[in-house]
Amino acid sequence: MSTRGRAAAAVAVVLVLVAGVVLGVVLLGGDDDAPDEPAAGPATPTSTPLADYDTLAVAVAREPFCEAVEPAVVTEVLEAEPTGVRTWADGEQVRLPEGGRDVAHEFGCRWAVDGAVASAWVFAPPVTRRQAIDLAQVAQSADGCAPMRGARPYGLPTLAAFCRVEGRRGAPAGTEASYRGLFGDAWLTCTLEVPGASPDEALAERAGRFCVSVLEAARLPGDYTRADPAADGPDGSPSPSIG
């Protein structure tokens, strides 16, 4: 082959190689220009925070409510889908946390997974304002419990508390956040127990979201007009919170 021929062939090879590089840049360049996929972060809560819910305009039915609690909210606050679910009703034999059995005078339910437990119950008998104050004071004085400072009311009278709890089934000790209060003549309680958790604002907020879902499930239709507390109180003064 002549020198010109060899040169022409060399040029052709170079052109083919350059063309391949350019094509590769065109085909692959889009990946370099595309924005990186955002890293997966914690799921955004879809439930309603207690701070955004007016619990003082709600009355509650003293009857079963557990089937109406939104399952997605339970999974959200437990941070996993529950593997154990239990319900009970007025007059049923129930197992007590400290052992033994008793007859329930309430309607309630419990969801659990990996040591975390969300529970809620409403007393079957009607409760007066004076009785509600006593119930709140008894709950506050339980061993390892202390009131949440600055908590939003959950009914009236009301108590929001943190309690130290022993771990279940090998889980580490943790904290239970609870809200309880009087809604009309119904005494409603909801709790969220998390192993290894501290009594902090984050746990209170998670429990509050669960308690709003419970309240939505148990509430009576329409808005509730609260009666004059003097009709049931010793001195007529309102008690928005205990502790």
Side-chain angles (χ1 to χ4, degrees), residues 103-202:
V103 176
H105 298 290
E106 62 196 34
F107 301 96
C109 34
R110 176 182 181 273
W111 298 264
V113 59
D114 297 334
V117 181
S119 303
W121 59 93
V122 62
F123 280 7
V127 173
T128 66
R129 179 174 177 271
R130 180 68 258 174
Q131 290 172 326
I133 292 173
D134 292 342
L135 288 167
Q137 290 174 338
V138 168
Q140 177 183 311
S141 63
D143 289 343
C145 295
M148 295 182 199
R149 299 302 179 186
R152 289 290 298 248
Y154 193 68
L156 187 75
T158 184
L159 172 69
F162 289 121
C163 296
R164 189 68 177 166
V165 292
E166 297 299 322
R168 301 170 184 261
R169 298 181 179 178
T175 302
E176 176 192 87
S178 65
Y179 294 89
R180 63 196 78 208
L182 187 66
F183 298 87
D185 64 355
W187 182 251
L188 179 66
T189 300
C190 60
T191 68
L192 177 63
E193 176 185 331
V194 179
S198 300
D200 56 20
E201 184 177 347

Side-chain angles (χ1 to χ4, degrees), residues 24-104:
V25 169
V26 171
L27 293 177
L28 301 178
D31 291 341
D32 294 336
D33 297 336
D36 294 335
E37 290 292 330
T44 301
T46 57
S47 54
T48 302
L50 182 57
D52 294 344
Y53 195 95
D54 182 8
T55 68
L56 302 184
V58 177
V60 164
R62 294 178 284 107
E63 58 188 35
F65 64 90
C66 296
E67 289 187 357
V69 177
E70 181 59 49
V73 176
V74 176
T75 298
E76 177 189 312
V77 300
L78 291 175
E79 298 185 341
E81 188 170 343
T83 56
V85 181
R86 183 165 64 90
T87 62
W88 59 92
D90 182 33
E92 289 185 3
Q93 287 277 342
V94 294
R95 184 181 295 107
L96 301 175
E98 62 273 16
R101 289 182 174 273
D102 198 1
V103 176

